[in-house]
Amino acid sequence: MTTRKANLIGGDWIEGSDWSENRNPSDVSDVIGQFAQGTAANVDHAVQAARAALPAWSRVHQDRADLLDRVGDRLMARKDELGELLSREEGKTLAEGKGEVERAARVFKFFAGEALRGGGDIIPGARPTVSVEARREPVGVVGLITPWNFPIAIPAWKAAPALAYGNTVVMKPADLVPASAWALADTLRDCGAPAGVFNLIMGRGSVVGEAMMNHAGVDAVSFTGSTGVGARVAEACARGLKRFQLEMGGKNPLVILADADLDAAADAASNGAFFATGQRCTASSRIIVERSVYAAFLDKMEARRQALVVGHALDPKTNIGPAVSAAQLNQDLDYVEIGKAEGARLIGGGERLKLDTDGFYIAPALFADVDNNMRIAREEIFGPVASVIAANDADQALEIANDTEFGLSAGVFTTSLKQAERFKRELQAGMVMVNLPTAGVDLNAPFGGTKGSSFGPREQGPYAREFYTKIKTTYTQA
């Protein structure tokens, strides 16, 4: 019998009149469950519950810290169970799925401490008998719209700071991956979250997301997803004078200079381009290599590509699981054909794979001789497709790296301290990696980009308080 999972509104599980079936992209015969499809009325109900819970929740810092700490412990204890669930519904390898649950647990533990740290300033008054304080207070009811590629980590790194700083939450997860978000909501409820503090509304973005960002009772919206949808979120929030935060696309460059350790560079490029099926906004999708080591690097990169095992996400031998859906697989395959038509040289991969189970499998694709003006070098593919671009020298490599509308993550491989410092300064990205993959960030450091990749304050670490709190200035006459 197929399991049905309801929305969480005001502390209660509210069933819907419509349900969506969630299937395993590694094996489409595996039905994970049926999940309630929320409506605009559900969103209104959830926002009212969140507003009712806000005054009490915003006052008691210790209660917030204790709840988040319990949630972190519970997620860590359920790492194996929830990691398998995540891998079944999203297609990540089991190791990646468990690692993501562990990250979510650590995010909650980190923000348990932040709930007590708060923040604020005592400001010297310009008048000798007047004291001035800048206090941080919660923004209010926060709407969270999360993507499918990190189905528990991103909900965690949005929900944990929102709750830590005294806000109440209405969250809409991506409709492709409701099970992990439902498990998080269930964990919060079981750990004692007061009714209305955290609400989960599953369903289509065109219904639930639209209702959330247009609701007068929502004070702020944090969104992670595509650039196109992000622009619509910004427009709706601007109309309603809501605070908004956008994390969107990337076309991240990884520069390989002639003095680099080519084996380490090829390992990082393979990891950044292909792991998690390339479905990371920080993926190394443009690999820019100095011409003097171009051929040698391609040989090393292709050897690593050929060694990768594509298979069922739960198979311990698998390095790369399936694409998340048939639509994403078809998009990946279309871009492979676009690359070939544009004149790029496909060294290997890019074909759909037929394996023992019926899933959305694709061989990771490696393109050489790519021009930075080609579509495969300018548009976010969100699949295991790597484009390698030759540069005459470090100056041209830097110019190519910055020639993009995106600016999330960028990297450089070099043994030169001078070049490392130069690229850290001059790469136009919110995050710069030296001798590391472009994908892979620490939970206590700010996350976000520039240009078309991000808008608003940074996520993660103590920097998250810039979005989830507002400043109140108080004056007291002695």
Side-chain angles (χ1 to χ4, degrees):
M1 182 176 178
T2 301
T3 303
R4 284 189 164 186
K5 302 292 188 183
N7 290 313
L8 179 63
I9 304 175
D12 297 321
W13 297 112
I14 306 296
E15 294 196 354
S17 58
D18 195 15
W19 301 84
S20 176
E21 197 169 65
N22 187 20
R23 290 180 178 263
N24 184 344
S26 293
D27 179 2
V28 295
S29 67
D30 176 21
V31 179
I32 296 163
Q34 291 185 336
F35 294 83
Q37 294 292 283
T39 63
N42 292 144
V43 173
D44 182 59
H45 184 184
V47 172
Q48 291 183 42
R51 295 217 72 84
L54 182 62
W57 180 248
S58 65
R59 283 195 294 265
V60 187
H61 294 72
Q62 188 64 59
D63 288 353
R64 305 201 300 258
D66 291 345
L67 173 66
L68 299 186
D69 194 54
R70 290 194 299 271
V71 171
D73 286 340
R74 185 73 61 85
L75 291 175
M76 194 68 77
R78 300 179 68 192
K79 178 177 71 172
D80 291 346
E81 169 205 349
L82 296 182
E84 181 175 332
L85 175 66
L86 191 157
S87 294
R88 280 179 65 207
E89 79 164 348
E90 197 272 347
K92 287 182 178 167
T93 65
L94 187 55
E96 289 172 322
K98 291 179 181 179
E100 184 174 330
V101 176
E102 182 173 340
R103 183 186 183 90
R106 294 190 185 281
V107 166
F108 272 93
K109 299 287 279 187
F110 177 88
F111 281 104
E114 286 295 291
L116 294 176
R117 278 186 279 273
D121 296 290
I122 303 294
I123 301 169
R127 292 161 288 178
T129 60
V130 176
S131 63
V132 185
E133 299 175 17
R135 301 168 178 262
R136 288 193 176 272
E137 297 184 346
V139 173
V141 175
V142 180
L144 307 179
I145 302 175
T146 62
W148 52 258
N149 60 328
F150 286 90
I152 199 165
I154 293 180
W157 85 46
K158 290 182 186 293
L163 296 172
Y165 296 122
N167 303 280
T168 53
V169 167
V170 179
M171 188 172 81
K172 191 211 91 67
D175 58 336
L176 282 173
V177 289
S180 295
W182 189 93
L184 178 60
D186 185 48
T187 301
L188 277 155
R189 184 175 183 269
D190 283 352
C191 286
V197 164
F198 182 90
N199 304 273
L200 177 75
I201 310 293
M202 301 173 288
R204 301 292 299 175
S206 58
V207 177
V208 177
E210 288 285 341
M212 182 188 297
M213 62 195 186
N214 286 298
H215 198 292
V218 173
D219 300 296
V221 175
S222 180
F223 166 85
T224 298
S226 70
T227 303
V229 176
R232 286 170 48 203
V233 172
E235 183 180 359
C237 290
R239 281 198 308 269
L241 299 180
K242 303 181 195 301
R243 182 177 296 201
F244 60 94
Q245 176 186 60
L246 310 176
E247 290 296 339
M248 299 172 287
K251 196 66 181 175
N252 310 294
L254 179 64
V255 174
I256 316 297
L257 297 183
D259 66 345
D261 179 334
L262 292 188
D263 286 314
D267 287 340
S270 178
N271 176 304
F274 300 138
F275 280 45
T277 324
Q279 296 172 158
R280 297 182 285 193
C281 55
T282 53
S284 306
S285 51
R286 292 185 301 142
I287 303 167
I288 303 161
V289 186
E290 275 202 83
R291 202 173 296 278
S292 61
V293 294
Y294 185 77
F297 174 82
L298 282 174
D299 288 344
K300 292 179 182 294
M301 185 73 175
E302 173 60 7
R304 284 157 176 77
R305 189 199 68 80
Q306 290 184 14
L308 294 171
V309 176
V310 179
H312 195 293
L314 301 184
D315 186 336
K317 298 188 297 293
T318 294
N319 302 124
I320 297 174
V324 71
S325 66
Q328 187 61 49
L329 172 65
N330 289 333
Q331 178 172 298
D332 297 345
L333 296 170
D334 287 347
Y335 271 109
V336 171
E337 294 305 313
I338 288 167
K340 291 191 290 187
E342 287 181 315
R345 174 164 59 96
L346 181 62
I347 293 180
E351 70 275 12
R352 181 169 187 178
L353 300 177
K354 297 292 186 179
L355 304 181
D356 292 339
T357 54
D358 184 11
F360 307 125
Y361 300 107
I362 179 173
L366 179 62
F367 277 103
D369 305 339
V370 176
D371 185 280
N372 199 51
N373 292 314
M374 293 178 178
R375 286 181 62 191
I376 60 169
R378 303 208 73 82
E379 299 173 10
E380 186 175 38
I381 299 172
F382 228 61
V385 181
S387 298
V388 184
I389 304 169
N392 293 328
D393 52 28
D395 291 342
Q396 188 182 38
L398 181 61
E399 180 182 352
I400 293 170
N402 288 336
D403 181 16
T404 175
E405 66 183 87
F406 298 107
L408 183 56
S409 182
V412 61
F413 264 79
T414 179
T415 56
S416 165
L417 180 59
K418 178 181 177 180
Q419 291 288 11
E421 290 301 317
R422 177 195 181 192
F423 274 77
K424 283 196 291 185
R425 286 194 310 270
E426 298 185 24
L427 280 168
Q428 297 169 3
M431 298 175 290
V432 175
M433 317 296 186
V434 179
N435 297 329
L436 288 165
T438 58
V441 297
D442 292 344
L443 63 89
N444 59 336
F447 179 96
T450 61
K451 301 194 242 186
S453 290
S454 302
F455 186 91
R458 291 290 189 257
E459 295 196 277
Q460 299 204 62
Y463 296 84
R465 68 171 173 254
E466 299 302 326
F467 180 73
Y468 292 107
T469 64
K470 58 189 177 184
I471 295 290
K472 175 186 285 182
T473 307
T474 65
Y475 296 81
T476 302
Q477 170 72 55

